[in-house]
Amino acid sequence: KVRRELWGYEHATNEIAVKDILRRKYQGCRIAFGYAAAPDHSLKKEVFDLLDVENHTSMTLTGNAMISPEESICGMIFPSGDYFTIEKIDLRQKQLYAEKRNIPLSDLNKILPFYLTQ
């Protein structure tokens, strides 16, 4: 819908097979919070607040950033680009991230436990 109707950079005449969709053989990329390129699930809260999601949709967000109904998704869609993976981050990166997010450094241990080197 986004590629065809909202942004219009893909046309219905170039129908994509399901196998090609699963292999990401289409223009654009959709990076969902919690996946490799954006592992911080807590960013969903900021998106929900910014867009006032719960007042405009039937979606809700739990305390641990799970979306209901569960088939819903929260992320970023780009008309071009490639998927990527965030690797381990060191102490300095951890400090910068906490500072930019305006959250206590100790909270990152809960938010990104698998991505921290220290």
Side-chain angles (χ1 to χ4, degrees):
K1 182 174 181 171
V2 171
R3 291 191 309 266
R4 290 186 181 155
E5 296 174 28
L6 299 177
W7 290 353
Y9 59 82
E10 190 173 280
H11 305 287
T13 55
N14 21 335
E15 194 66 36
I16 302 173
V18 173
K19 66 178 179 151
D20 289 331
I21 290 172
L22 295 174
R23 291 181 181 142
R24 295 189 301 236
K25 293 188 176 187
Y26 52 82
Q27 184 179 343
C29 65
R30 181 196 68 188
I31 298 173
F33 295 110
Y35 288 90
D40 186 348
H41 280 280
S42 71
L43 290 169
K44 290 180 219 170
K45 172 84 170 105
E46 293 182 29
V47 172
F48 267 58
D49 289 347
L50 180 68
L51 299 177
D52 198 17
V53 171
E54 293 186 8
N55 286 321
H56 295 293
T57 72
S58 61
M59 295 187 296
T60 59
L61 199 60
T62 68
N64 63 352
M66 298 287 292
I67 302 174
S68 178
E70 59 188 46
E71 62 272 4
S72 304
I73 192 165
C74 179
M76 302 166 283
I77 300 173
F78 300 97
S80 62
D82 295 315
Y83 289 92
F84 56 90
T85 300
I86 301 296
E87 300 294 332
K88 298 274 186 191
I89 62 174
D90 62 27
L91 181 58
R92 180 70 184 132
Q93 291 169 312
K94 178 181 172 182
Q95 291 168 331
L96 286 170
Y97 188 67
E99 182 181 311
K100 298 286 184 193
R101 292 280 321 276
N102 196 29
I103 58 175
L105 191 60
S106 58
D107 285 1
L108 283 185
N109 293 326
K110 298 173 197 161
I111 295 171
L112 298 170
F114 303 110
Y115 294 88
L116 305 176
T117 58
Q118 300 181 27

